[in-house]
Amino acid sequence: DADVTQTPRNRITKTGKRIMLECSQTKGHDRMYWYRQDPGLGLRLIYYSFDVKDINKGEISDGYSVSRQAQAKFSLSLESAIPNQTALYFCATSEGDSQETQYFGPGTRLLVL
Amino acid sequence: TQLLEQSPQFLSIQEGENLTVYCNSSSVFSSLQWYRQEPGEGPVLLVTVVTGGEVKKLKRLTFQFGDARKDSSLHITAAQPGDTGLYLCAGEVFYDYKLSFGAGTTVTVRA
């Protein structure tokens, strides 16, 4: 089984709808991250969490919120989806050491109509 | 404006040729990582470089960290179709505890 899983893998929604993307990990890592990937822009950090009680905004947090339900679970919500939130979304985890490796999930492809 | 600039954005070469991908910044990094991403999957770490001037080799891949810790390069010798993918560099600024990613270089190796 994969160490980092994301659900759903693909989602089509309409402008104004609220949606939630979920991430689960079995690696036992404290740190979790949400990124979005757009062609030509690479990966941009939306939110990150260094432990269950810690939530931090990344460089593009507007229009998004997160919830860290447990060490293993980190959810990303779009409160009112808009078309420019159409992107590939990745969850990642890391142990928390310096020079750390980040382990990525398979991604969720989101289309907002 | 991205913290890390990668070049070129696209690279298409014939099997057996060599290629180099560059990652540049005006910022100093405590470490720099290279990831490879295949379609439908998340990025996977290839290497981490942490010392200025460091060179690491991974089979046909050679990674170099600049002396000033502001830039890095990835060189592939005798590229194979299996090297096809999106290559991403990512840097950790001192005491920031987060990674900043470059936009990526899409490499296509034709058989």
Side-chain angles (χ1 to χ4, degrees), chain B residues 66-105:
Chain B
D67 291 340
R69 313 171 74 102
K70 294 181 178 182
D71 56 88
S72 181
S73 63
L74 157 61
H75 182 79
I76 301 179
T77 303
Q80 299 177 359
D83 295 324
T84 293
L86 175 67
Y87 289 82
L88 295 157
C89 65
E92 180 183 352
V93 175
F94 283 97
Y95 310 119
D96 195 32
Y97 309 112
K98 304 187 303 293
L99 291 177
S100 293
F101 282 82
T105 296

Side-chain angles (χ1 to χ4, degrees), chain A residues 42-53:
Chain A
L43 288 160
R44 292 182 292 166
L45 184 63
I46 306 172
Y47 270 96
Y48 61 102
S49 169
F50 283 175
D51 65 43
V52 175
K53 297 180 181 179

Side-chain angles (χ1 to χ4, degrees), chain B residues 31-74:
Chain B
S31 66
L32 200 137
Q33 300 178 344
W34 286 92
Y35 289 80
R36 180 165 168 261
Q37 183 181 7
E38 298 194 29
E41 299 180 8
V44 176
L45 181 70
L46 294 173
V47 78
T48 301
V49 285
V50 299
T51 305
E54 181 176 4
V55 176
K56 278 192 174 179
K57 293 192 175 184
L58 187 65
K59 296 184 179 178
R60 294 176 294 100
L61 279 61
T62 301
F63 305 85
Q64 186 162 6
F65 200 12
D67 291 340
R69 313 171 74 102
K70 294 181 178 182
D71 56 88
S72 181
S73 63
L74 157 61

Side-chain angles (χ1 to χ4, degrees), chain A residues 35-68:
Chain A
Y35 293 91
R36 66 176 279 175
Q37 186 175 38
D38 300 274
L41 294 178
L43 288 160
R44 292 182 292 166
L45 184 63
I46 306 172
Y47 270 96
Y48 61 102
S49 169
F50 283 175
D51 65 43
V52 175
K53 297 180 181 179
D54 177 72
I55 299 289
N56 304 282
K57 292 183 177 181
E59 61 181 296
I60 54 163
S61 59
D62 287 349
Y64 301 96
S65 63
V66 291
S67 173
R68 185 81 186 265

